[in-house]
Amino acid sequence: MEPYTSEDIHAYAKWLTQECQAAGLNAEQYGAEILIHGASNHLSERIICKPDEQGHTRWHWSWGVPIGRRGDSSWLLAVDDIDELIRSISKVVCVPLRRTGM
C-alpha cells in the first residue's frame, strides 16, 4: 500500500470532522488535526492523523496514543469504522458531569 499523502489525510480529517458534527460534537479541522468539544464544552480533545511507531498512519489522542485497537494497523478511517471511532471520541469528550449535594 502506498503512503497517504497530505491531501489524503486532510480529506480524511474533513470527513471525520463532518461525521463528528453530525453526531452532535463541536468539531473543527486544522489540517490533519481535529479539535473536538463535547456537547457541554467542559471537555475537549485534539486528535491528529500521523504515523505510529510502526509507520502505520492512524488517528492519535493528544497524549500520543493511537485511537482504537493497537493491533489494527489499518484503522485510519473506513466506512465500517467511523461509528466506532466517533464512539471512542465521544467517551473522552462527553463524560457526564456529576451532580453533588442536591
Side-chain angles (χ1 to χ4, degrees):
M1 178 175 193
E2 292 186 29
Y4 292 99
T5 66
S6 176
E7 292 81 17
D8 293 335
I9 291 172
H10 289 185
Y12 279 116
K14 181 178 181 178
W15 182 30
L16 180 55
T17 300
Q18 292 169 338
E19 291 297 322
C20 285
Q21 291 167 343
L25 300 172
N26 179 0
E28 304 166 16
Q29 179 187 358
Y30 300 95
E33 293 186 36
I34 303 171
L35 177 62
I36 304 165
H37 298 282
S40 66
N41 282 329
H42 291 287
L43 297 171
S44 64
E45 177 57 30
R46 185 174 299 273
I47 62 172
I48 186 166
C49 186
K50 64 180 185 177
D52 63 12
E53 302 87 27
Q54 292 79 32
H56 301 290
T57 304
R58 301 182 52 145
W59 292 101
H60 290 75
W61 297 113
S62 61
W63 58 90
V65 175
I67 300 174
R69 302 170 296 272
R70 281 211 174 257
D72 188 354
S73 63
S74 64
W75 211 45
L76 175 59
L77 198 60
V79 173
D80 295 339
D81 298 329
I82 192 79
D83 291 335
E84 186 177 344
L85 183 57
I86 291 173
R87 269 193 304 278
S88 295
I89 294 167
S90 293
K91 287 178 184 177
V92 171
V93 299
C94 294
V95 176
L97 298 175
R98 293 177 127 182
R99 292 184 165 211
T100 59
M102 288 193 76

XYZ file of all heavy atoms in Angstrom:
813
model
N 0.840 -1.180 0.000
C 0.000 0.000 0.000
C 0.887 1.245 0.000
O 1.837 1.332 0.758
C -0.904 -0.028 1.229
C -1.786 1.165 1.344
S -2.907 0.958 2.741
C -4.007 2.256 2.397
N 0.556 2.222 -0.828
C 1.326 3.455 -0.890
C 1.021 4.316 0.322
O -0.077 4.278 0.866
C 0.978 4.210 -2.166
C 1.442 3.503 -3.418
C 1.218 4.351 -4.654
O 1.239 5.585 -4.551
O 1.023 3.756 -5.719
N 2.002 5.131 0.740
C 1.763 6.009 1.895
C 0.696 7.049 1.576
O 0.507 7.426 0.418
C 3.115 6.661 2.140
C 3.960 6.356 0.971
C 3.327 5.246 0.197
N 0.014 7.485 2.622
C -1.004 8.513 2.450
C -0.335 9.848 2.174
O 0.675 10.185 2.786
C -1.865 8.636 3.712
C -2.729 7.432 3.965
C -2.346 6.454 4.870
C -3.932 7.286 3.291
C -3.132 5.346 5.095
C -4.736 6.175 3.518
C -4.329 5.215 4.425
O -5.114 4.130 4.645
N -0.917 10.638 1.277
C -0.413 11.976 1.006
C -1.038 12.948 2.000
O -2.037 12.628 2.668
C -0.768 12.423 -0.420
O -2.196 12.568 -0.516
C -0.252 11.437 -1.463
N -0.486 14.134 2.063
C -1.047 15.182 2.909
C -2.494 15.476 2.512
O -3.353 15.672 3.362
C -0.186 16.439 2.785
O -0.741 17.494 3.498
N -2.753 15.453 1.215
C -4.115 15.710 0.730
C -5.073 14.607 1.176
O -6.224 14.872 1.538
C -4.144 15.843 -0.799
C -3.445 17.070 -1.333
C -1.926 16.913 -1.431
O -1.419 15.763 -1.391
O -1.238 17.937 -1.528
N -4.610 13.345 1.144
C -5.431 12.229 1.618
C -5.803 12.424 3.083
O -6.961 12.281 3.476
C -4.686 10.890 1.499
C -4.416 10.455 0.073
O -5.159 10.876 -0.832
O -3.449 9.682 -0.112
N -4.805 12.739 3.876
C -5.019 12.887 5.322
C -5.959 14.051 5.610
O -6.861 13.938 6.444
C -3.676 13.025 6.055
C -2.927 11.687 5.975
C -3.882 13.449 7.505
C -1.518 11.719 6.478
N -5.803 15.156 4.906
C -6.706 16.298 5.100
C -8.134 15.931 4.707
O -9.088 16.356 5.358
C -6.223 17.510 4.327
C -4.985 18.118 4.904
N -4.434 19.265 4.420
C -4.177 17.738 5.929
C -3.353 19.568 5.108
N -3.180 18.637 6.031
N -8.295 15.138 3.652
C -9.631 14.693 3.233
C -10.259 13.793 4.298
O -11.451 13.919 4.607
C -9.565 13.976 1.889
N -9.464 12.880 4.873
C -9.972 12.030 5.957
C -10.336 12.880 7.167
O -11.367 12.649 7.823
C -8.948 10.973 6.357
C -8.922 9.767 5.454
C -7.789 9.466 4.697
C -10.012 8.917 5.365
C -7.763 8.350 3.867
C -9.992 7.797 4.541
C -8.857 7.526 3.794
O -8.839 6.421 2.982
N -9.518 13.863 7.479
C -9.805 14.741 8.617
C -11.095 15.527 8.381
O -11.896 15.709 9.302
C -8.631 15.680 8.871
N -11.298 15.969 7.152
C -12.540 16.694 6.828
C -13.750 15.780 7.013
O -14.757 16.178 7.595
C -12.482 17.218 5.397
C -13.712 17.994 4.996
C -13.600 18.539 3.592
C -14.838 19.339 3.227
N -14.732 19.912 1.875
N -13.633 14.549 6.523
C -14.725 13.590 6.651
C -15.015 13.300 8.122
O -16.171 13.335 8.554
C -14.369 12.313 5.901
C -15.435 11.247 5.920
C -16.789 11.422 6.001
C -15.226 9.845 5.850
N -17.436 10.211 5.974
C -16.497 9.228 5.881
C -14.097 9.052 5.750
C -16.655 7.845 5.840
C -14.264 7.681 5.693
C -15.526 7.097 5.742
N -13.972 13.046 8.909
C -14.173 12.765 10.329
C -14.772 13.977 11.039
O -15.659 13.829 11.883
C -12.861 12.339 10.987
C -12.943 12.007 12.468
C -13.996 10.935 12.757
C -11.573 11.577 12.984
N -14.328 15.171 10.691
C -14.889 16.391 11.288
C -16.381 16.474 11.006
O -17.187 16.724 11.913
C -14.172 17.636 10.727
O -12.779 17.549 11.032
C -14.748 18.915 11.308
N -16.772 16.245 9.767
C -18.189 16.315 9.395
C -19.006 15.240 10.113
O -20.127 15.505 10.555
C -18.336 16.181 7.878
C -17.783 17.362 7.128
C -17.691 17.137 5.632
O -17.655 16.008 5.149
N -17.639 18.231 4.882
N -18.452 14.040 10.234
C -19.168 12.958 10.917
C -19.300 13.252 12.414
O -20.331 12.938 13.025
C -18.467 11.621 10.685
C -18.567 11.125 9.257
C -19.994 10.836 8.805
O -20.804 10.328 9.614
O -20.311 11.105 7.633
N -18.281 13.844 13.014
C -18.367 14.234 14.425
C -19.453 15.289 14.611
O -20.246 15.217 15.556
C -17.021 14.765 14.929
S -15.769 13.502 15.221
N -19.502 16.259 13.704
C -20.534 17.292 13.767
C -21.922 16.685 13.622
O -22.851 17.050 14.348
C -20.285 18.352 12.693
C -19.056 19.183 12.955
C -18.626 20.010 11.760
O -19.038 19.771 10.617
N -17.762 20.988 12.002
N -22.075 15.741 12.712
C -23.369 15.072 12.515
C -23.775 14.281 13.758
O -24.970 14.103 14.016
C -23.306 14.152 11.295
N -22.790 13.835 14.540
C -23.065 13.088 15.769
C -23.306 14.013 16.960
O -23.471 13.554 18.084
C -21.901 12.140 16.071
N -23.301 15.329 16.733
C -23.600 16.284 17.798
C -22.391 16.848 18.515
O -22.541 17.554 19.509
N -21.199 16.555 18.013
C -19.987 17.095 18.623
C -19.587 18.380 17.896
O -19.799 18.517 16.703
C -18.845 16.082 18.542
C -19.080 14.750 19.229
C -17.956 13.780 18.904
C -19.191 14.949 20.730
N -19.001 19.296 18.619
C -18.488 20.530 18.032
C -17.059 20.241 17.582
O -16.151 20.164 18.402
C -18.527 21.654 19.070
C -17.978 22.962 18.532
O -17.558 23.060 17.380
N -17.980 23.968 19.376
N -16.853 20.039 16.290
C -15.554 19.656 15.754
C -15.059 20.691 14.754
O -15.838 21.187 13.943
C -15.648 18.288 15.086
N -13.765 21.007 14.848
C -13.133 21.958 13.948
C -11.867 21.325 13.391
O -11.065 20.789 14.146
C -12.760 23.234 14.696
C -13.910 23.906 15.412
C -13.432 24.954 16.401
O -12.266 25.373 16.336
O -14.238 25.343 17.256
N -11.676 21.425 12.091
C -10.497 20.844 11.445
C -9.410 21.887 11.280
O -9.662 23.015 10.879
C -10.866 20.282 10.073
C -9.682 19.680 9.349
C -9.987 19.278 7.927
O -11.111 19.409 7.469
N -8.993 18.800 7.229
N -8.184 21.482 11.583
C -6.983 22.291 11.371
C -5.962 21.409 10.670
O -5.110 20.813 11.317
C -6.435 22.816 12.698
C -7.430 23.677 13.439
C -8.245 23.140 14.427
C -7.575 25.021 13.113
C -9.167 23.930 15.093
C -8.501 25.817 13.775
C -9.291 25.264 14.767
O -10.211 26.044 15.411
N -6.075 21.276 9.361
C -5.182 20.405 8.603
C -5.431 18.954 8.951
O -6.528 18.447 8.774
N -4.408 18.283 9.487
C -4.538 16.878 9.876
C -5.036 16.720 11.308
O -5.205 15.611 11.792
C -3.190 16.171 9.729
N -5.265 17.840 11.991
C -5.745 17.815 13.374
C -7.209 18.206 13.433
O -7.680 18.994 12.622
C -4.955 18.797 14.248
C -3.522 18.416 14.448
C -2.830 19.341 15.424
O -3.452 19.786 16.405
O -1.650 19.622 15.201
N -7.889 17.648 14.437
C -9.286 17.993 14.676
C -9.426 18.322 16.154
O -9.002 17.549 17.015
C -10.230 16.827 14.312
C -10.029 16.425 12.853
C -11.682 17.218 14.571
C -10.752 15.151 12.473
N -10.007 19.471 16.441
C -10.314 19.870 17.809
C -11.786 19.569 18.034
O -12.642 20.038 17.266
C -10.029 21.351 18.036
C -10.370 21.895 19.411
C -9.551 21.191 20.500
C -10.161 23.399 19.461
N -12.074 18.773 19.060
C -13.439 18.343 19.320
C -13.829 18.750 20.728
O -13.124 18.450 21.691
C -13.573 16.817 19.168
C -13.108 16.394 17.783
C -15.010 16.371 19.429
C -12.861 14.929 17.638
N -14.956 19.454 20.823
C -15.522 19.842 22.112
C -16.749 18.981 22.358
O -17.528 18.748 21.438
C -15.962 21.315 22.107
C -14.855 22.273 21.882
N -13.953 22.637 22.854
C -14.492 22.949 20.766
C -13.086 23.492 22.359
N -13.392 23.696 21.091
N -16.922 18.558 23.594
C -18.121 17.826 23.951
C -19.329 18.746 23.925
O -19.199 19.971 23.821
N -20.490 18.176 24.036
C -21.739 18.939 23.955
C -21.802 20.043 25.003
O -22.334 21.109 24.756
C -22.934 18.001 24.088
N -21.232 19.819 26.179
C -21.294 20.814 27.242
C -20.117 21.779 27.210
O -20.059 22.712 27.995
C -21.335 20.116 28.601
O -20.107 19.434 28.814
N -19.153 21.555 26.317
C -17.934 22.359 26.196
C -17.048 22.307 27.438
O -16.142 23.115 27.585
C -18.233 23.806 25.830
C -18.541 23.966 24.366
O -18.033 23.231 23.537
N -19.388 24.922 24.041
N -17.304 21.376 28.356
C -16.437 21.227 29.528
C -15.196 20.419 29.194
O -14.165 20.572 29.829
C -17.188 20.553 30.683
C -18.242 21.422 31.265
N -17.966 22.504 32.056
C -19.588 21.386 31.139
C -19.083 23.102 32.408
N -20.088 22.437 31.862
N -15.292 19.567 28.207
C -14.163 18.726 27.815
C -13.888 18.912 26.333
O -14.799 19.098 25.539
C -14.473 17.250 28.085
C -14.694 16.863 29.536
C -15.214 15.432 29.624
C -13.414 17.006 30.329
N -12.624 18.861 25.980
C -12.262 18.907 24.572
C -11.064 17.998 24.356
O -10.374 17.626 25.294
C -11.943 20.337 24.122
O -10.805 20.825 24.802
N -10.853 17.653 23.114
C -9.738 16.776 22.765
C -9.256 17.146 21.373
O -10.041 17.458 20.491
C -10.176 15.307 22.795
C -9.127 14.324 22.377
C -7.844 14.395 23.192
O -7.904 14.760 24.381
O -6.796 14.101 22.626
N -7.957 17.127 21.204
C -7.344 17.357 19.900
C -6.796 16.019 19.426
O -5.993 15.402 20.110
C -6.224 18.380 20.015
C -5.622 18.752 18.678
C -4.617 19.878 18.810
N -5.179 21.103 19.321
C -5.757 22.058 18.582
N -5.843 21.901 17.281
N -6.234 23.144 19.124
N -7.270 15.572 18.266
C -6.748 14.329 17.694
C -6.010 14.674 16.410
O -6.292 15.698 15.776
C -7.853 13.275 17.459
C -8.884 13.768 16.453
C -8.514 12.882 18.771
C -9.884 12.703 16.056
N -5.059 13.834 16.069
C -4.245 14.087 14.879
C -4.018 12.788 14.129
O -3.922 11.719 14.730
C -2.904 14.751 15.240
C -2.141 15.135 13.978
C -2.078 13.857 16.140
C -0.977 16.077 14.212
N -3.926 12.908 12.831
C -3.635 11.769 11.978
C -2.145 11.795 11.667
O -1.641 12.769 11.100
C -4.456 11.882 10.695
S -4.315 10.451 9.639
N -1.435 10.742 12.083
C 0.011 10.670 11.863
C 0.458 9.215 11.940
O -0.274 8.362 12.422
C 0.761 11.506 12.900
C 0.592 11.002 14.325
C 1.346 11.868 15.299
C 1.264 11.262 16.694
N 2.034 12.011 17.657
N 1.675 8.936 11.495
C 2.184 7.560 11.583
C 2.462 7.153 13.025
O 2.872 7.968 13.844
C 3.496 7.608 10.784
C 3.425 8.850 9.971
C 2.562 9.804 10.731
N 2.213 5.876 13.341
C 2.554 5.348 14.662
C 3.979 4.804 14.636
O 4.712 5.016 13.668
C 1.537 4.295 15.117
C 1.496 3.067 14.231
O 2.385 2.887 13.378
O 0.557 2.269 14.381
N 4.371 4.103 15.698
C 5.744 3.593 15.810
C 6.107 2.643 14.665
O 7.277 2.530 14.288
C 5.962 2.857 17.146
C 5.689 3.680 18.379
C 4.228 3.647 18.798
O 3.513 2.662 18.515
O 3.788 4.648 19.389
N 5.124 1.933 14.118
C 5.371 1.001 13.020
C 5.231 1.652 11.650
O 5.362 0.988 10.626
C 4.419 -0.208 13.103
C 4.655 -1.123 14.277
C 4.070 -0.570 15.566
O 3.067 0.120 15.562
N 4.724 -0.856 16.684
N 4.949 2.951 11.624
C 4.800 3.652 10.358
C 3.408 3.603 9.764
O 3.193 4.081 8.654
N 2.435 3.046 10.498
C 1.049 2.991 10.022
C 0.364 4.319 10.349
O 0.433 4.794 11.478
C 0.279 1.854 10.695
C 0.878 0.509 10.455
N 0.863 -0.112 9.226
C 1.520 -0.328 11.298
C 1.455 -1.276 9.314
N 1.878 -1.431 10.559
N -0.286 4.905 9.360
C -0.992 6.164 9.567
C -2.278 5.881 10.331
O -3.092 5.068 9.908
C -1.292 6.846 8.224
O -0.055 7.005 7.520
C -1.937 8.196 8.430
N -2.420 6.557 11.471
C -3.569 6.326 12.364
C -3.965 7.627 13.044
O -3.197 8.573 13.086
C -3.185 5.320 13.449
C -2.752 3.983 12.916
C -2.437 3.064 14.035
N -3.570 3.057 14.955
C -3.963 1.998 15.621
N -3.345 0.867 15.471
N -4.975 2.052 16.435
N -5.131 7.602 13.635
C -5.576 8.719 14.476
C -4.985 8.533 15.864
O -4.960 7.423 16.396
C -7.104 8.749 14.552
C -7.703 9.105 13.236
C -8.250 8.248 12.327
C -7.769 10.393 12.655
N -8.649 8.934 11.214
C -8.372 10.260 11.396
C -7.374 11.659 13.080
C -8.597 11.344 10.550
C -7.598 12.741 12.230
C -8.201 12.582 10.995
N -4.504 9.628 16.460
C -3.892 9.586 17.790
C -4.562 10.607 18.707
O -4.928 11.697 18.274
C -2.396 9.948 17.715
C -1.563 8.916 17.053
N -1.545 8.724 15.692
C -0.712 8.016 17.575
C -0.707 7.750 15.398
N -0.196 7.303 16.509
N -4.690 10.231 19.971
C -5.136 11.158 21.002
C -4.054 12.209 21.222
O -2.894 12.004 20.860
C -5.387 10.429 22.322
C -6.467 9.410 22.270
C -6.313 8.058 22.388
C -7.872 9.632 22.119
N -7.530 7.429 22.299
C -8.506 8.369 22.145
C -8.652 10.773 21.953
C -9.884 8.227 22.013
C -10.030 10.624 21.833
C -10.627 9.369 21.866
N -4.405 13.309 21.872
C -3.437 14.374 22.129
C -2.273 13.891 22.991
O -1.184 14.441 22.921
C -4.117 15.571 22.798
O -4.678 15.181 24.035
N -2.477 12.836 23.762
C -1.411 12.314 24.612
C -0.542 11.282 23.890
O 0.327 10.665 24.485
C -1.952 11.779 25.929
C -2.982 10.695 25.829
C -2.759 9.352 25.795
C -4.408 10.850 25.760
N -3.947 8.668 25.696
C -4.980 9.558 25.680
C -5.260 11.961 25.758
C -6.348 9.360 25.600
C -6.622 11.747 25.687
C -7.152 10.462 25.597
N -0.747 11.128 22.573
C 0.139 10.330 21.738
C -0.245 8.886 21.505
O 0.398 8.194 20.729
N -1.286 8.403 22.135
C -1.712 7.005 21.996
C -2.641 6.879 20.791
O -3.549 7.694 20.613
C -2.437 6.543 23.287
C -2.998 5.147 23.140
C -1.509 6.639 24.477
N -2.425 5.852 19.959
C -3.351 5.648 18.826
C -4.772 5.363 19.314
O -4.968 4.715 20.339
C -2.788 4.421 18.113
C -1.363 4.334 18.525
C -1.320 4.894 19.926
N -5.739 5.869 18.583
C -7.142 5.617 18.904
C -7.507 4.248 18.354
O -7.212 3.930 17.219
C -8.058 6.692 18.302
C -7.680 8.064 18.849
C -9.527 6.379 18.581
C -8.432 9.207 18.203
N -8.169 3.463 19.166
C -8.634 2.159 18.710
C -7.706 1.038 19.122
O -6.845 1.185 19.975
N -7.896 -0.067 18.464
C -7.156 -1.279 18.800
C -5.710 -1.171 18.334
O -5.442 -0.849 17.192
C -7.840 -2.469 18.126
C -9.293 -2.622 18.547
C -10.018 -3.641 17.695
N -10.116 -3.240 16.299
C -11.096 -2.498 15.786
N -12.051 -2.070 16.551
N -11.114 -2.202 14.506
N -4.791 -1.442 19.215
C -3.362 -1.342 18.888
C -2.953 -2.278 17.759
O -2.110 -1.949 16.961
C -2.509 -1.639 20.112
C -2.434 -0.480 21.038
C -1.087 -0.522 21.737
N -0.922 0.668 22.532
C -0.176 1.690 22.173
N 0.466 1.667 21.041
N -0.071 2.741 22.944
N -3.529 -3.457 17.675
C -3.131 -4.422 16.670
C -3.693 -4.156 15.292
O -3.327 -4.810 14.333
N -4.585 -3.184 15.173
C -5.228 -2.912 13.893
C -4.456 -1.826 13.156
O -4.613 -0.650 13.428
C -6.675 -2.487 14.115
C -7.455 -2.373 12.823
O -6.842 -2.506 11.748
O -8.660 -2.141 12.891
N -3.632 -2.210 12.217
C -2.774 -1.253 11.524
C -3.497 -0.485 10.421
O -2.949 0.449 9.867
C -1.573 -1.979 10.919
O -2.000 -2.905 9.950
N -4.721 -0.868 10.119
C -5.416 -0.227 9.005
C -6.473 0.768 9.468
O -7.278 1.222 8.680
C -6.091 -1.296 8.143
O -7.088 -1.956 8.896
N -6.476 1.132 10.724
C -7.578 1.925 11.253
C -7.378 3.417 11.067
O -7.299 4.171 12.004
C -7.796 1.580 12.720
C -9.229 1.734 13.124
C -10.305 1.306 12.431
C -9.734 2.345 14.297
N -11.465 1.598 13.099
C -11.129 2.240 14.265
C -9.168 2.950 15.377
C -11.952 2.732 15.267
C -9.984 3.432 16.381
C -11.356 3.327 16.319
N -7.229 3.866 9.832
C -7.198 5.299 9.565
C -8.638 5.798 9.535
O -9.051 6.578 10.364
C -6.488 5.603 8.254
C -6.506 7.062 7.844
C -5.852 7.938 8.905
C -5.814 7.253 6.523
N -9.394 5.313 8.607
C -10.811 5.642 8.555
C -11.441 4.872 7.418
O -11.036 5.003 6.270
C -11.007 7.146 8.340
C -12.374 7.719 8.668
C -12.729 7.495 10.129
C -12.412 9.200 8.371
N -12.387 4.070 7.755
C -13.151 3.335 6.754
C -14.623 3.488 7.101
O -14.964 3.779 8.242
C -12.752 1.859 6.750
N -15.458 3.307 6.119
C -16.893 3.467 6.341
C -17.358 2.612 7.516
O -18.143 3.057 8.349
C -17.676 3.118 5.053
C -19.163 3.116 5.308
C -17.323 4.091 3.943
N -16.853 1.394 7.610
C -17.267 0.497 8.691
C -16.735 0.918 10.053
O -17.243 0.484 11.075
C -16.797 -0.933 8.405
C -17.475 -1.516 7.182
O -18.550 -1.012 6.798
O -16.931 -2.466 6.607
N -15.700 1.751 10.096
C -15.058 2.135 11.351
C -15.516 3.472 11.907
O -15.233 3.782 13.056
C -13.539 2.217 11.168
C -12.922 0.904 10.784
O -13.452 -0.145 11.197
O -11.912 0.921 10.060
N -16.185 4.292 11.116
C -16.484 5.664 11.527
C -17.320 5.715 12.795
O -17.041 6.507 13.692
C -17.125 6.476 10.374
C -17.167 7.955 10.705
C -18.513 5.976 10.042
C -15.862 8.651 10.504
N -18.336 4.862 12.926
C -19.177 4.881 14.124
C -18.384 4.508 15.368
O -18.536 5.137 16.419
C -20.381 3.950 13.959
C -21.374 4.475 12.931
O -21.411 5.694 12.698
O -22.095 3.651 12.348
N -17.518 3.509 15.251
C -16.700 3.104 16.398
C -15.716 4.204 16.786
O -15.495 4.464 17.966
C -15.949 1.810 16.085
C -15.195 1.269 17.282
C -14.504 -0.054 16.992
O -14.833 -0.717 15.995
O -13.626 -0.409 17.782
N -15.136 4.860 15.817
C -14.201 5.947 16.080
C -14.906 7.102 16.789
O -14.402 7.633 17.779
C -13.562 6.418 14.771
C -12.503 7.503 14.859
C -11.346 7.101 15.763
C -11.977 7.828 13.459
N -16.080 7.465 16.321
C -16.835 8.553 16.954
C -17.262 8.163 18.364
O -17.222 8.980 19.282
C -18.025 8.974 16.074
C -17.483 9.652 14.813
C -18.975 9.906 16.827
C -18.517 9.970 13.770
N -17.635 6.910 18.579
C -17.963 6.448 19.938
C -16.759 6.588 20.863
O -16.893 7.031 22.002
C -18.444 4.998 19.915
C -19.944 4.844 19.775
C -20.427 3.427 20.081
N -19.787 2.404 19.268
C -20.143 2.085 18.029
N -21.123 2.730 17.443
N -19.513 1.121 17.373
N -15.586 6.227 20.381
C -14.369 6.352 21.187
C -14.098 7.808 21.546
O -13.766 8.122 22.689
C -13.162 5.787 20.434
O -13.285 4.410 20.232
N -14.239 8.693 20.569
C -14.021 10.119 20.812
C -15.061 10.654 21.791
O -14.732 11.389 22.731
C -14.063 10.899 19.484
C -12.871 10.495 18.609
C -14.079 12.403 19.736
C -12.981 10.955 17.164
N -16.312 10.275 21.605
C -17.390 10.747 22.483
C -17.170 10.331 23.932
O -17.486 11.086 24.859
C -18.743 10.229 22.004
O -19.075 10.799 20.765
N -16.631 9.146 24.143
C -16.365 8.683 25.507
C -15.364 9.584 26.214
O -15.390 9.711 27.432
C -15.848 7.248 25.503
C -16.917 6.233 25.198
C -16.347 4.835 25.168
C -17.403 3.825 24.777
N -16.848 2.469 24.670
N -14.483 10.222 25.454
C -13.481 11.109 26.045
C -14.049 12.511 26.277
O -13.811 13.107 27.321
C -12.215 11.179 25.164
C -11.261 12.251 25.632
C -11.520 9.815 25.150
N -14.800 13.044 25.324
C -15.256 14.434 25.438
C -16.665 14.606 25.998
O -17.089 15.719 26.255
C -15.156 15.191 24.085
C -13.716 15.235 23.611
C -16.070 14.591 23.043
N -17.392 13.524 26.200
C -18.784 13.624 26.657
C -19.015 12.899 27.985
O -20.079 12.349 28.211
C -19.723 13.073 25.596
S -19.743 14.051 24.093
N -18.035 12.942 28.848
C -18.211 12.333 30.167
C -19.269 13.143 30.917
O -19.146 14.356 31.025
C -16.880 12.332 30.946
C -17.076 11.798 32.341
C -15.835 11.528 30.200
N -20.327 12.500 31.411
C -21.367 13.251 32.118
C -20.807 13.857 33.403
O -20.006 13.256 34.103
C -22.443 12.204 32.414
C -21.833 10.892 32.153
C -20.606 11.073 31.331
N -21.234 15.083 33.669
C -20.815 15.746 34.894
C -21.567 15.171 36.083
O -22.758 14.868 35.989
C -21.071 17.256 34.791
C -20.302 17.981 33.699
C -20.746 19.435 33.641
C -18.817 17.884 33.947
N -20.878 15.048 37.210
C -21.528 14.545 38.429
C -22.260 15.654 39.130
O -21.748 16.764 39.260
C -20.482 13.968 39.377
C -19.819 12.742 38.883
C -18.798 12.342 39.868
N -19.010 10.963 40.227
C -18.282 10.328 41.108
N -17.318 10.932 41.717
N -18.520 9.068 41.375
N -23.426 15.348 39.584
C -24.188 16.309 40.383
C -23.997 15.962 41.845
O -24.137 14.795 42.224
C -25.659 16.261 40.030
C -25.907 16.771 38.636
C -27.371 16.787 38.374
N -27.588 17.597 37.204
C -28.670 18.300 37.007
N -29.633 18.261 37.877
N -28.791 19.005 35.934
N -23.687 16.928 42.643
C -23.475 16.675 44.067
C -24.368 17.578 44.896
O -24.672 18.712 44.511
C -22.001 16.926 44.456
O -21.675 18.283 44.132
C -21.072 15.982 43.728
N -24.744 17.077 46.039
C -25.457 17.849 47.055
C -26.747 18.499 46.645
O -27.017 19.631 46.995
N -27.595 17.791 45.920
C -28.865 18.407 45.546
C -29.885 18.141 46.553
O -30.253 17.580 47.314
C -29.312 17.913 44.187
C -28.433 18.503 43.109
S -29.112 18.280 41.472
C -30.388 19.527 41.502
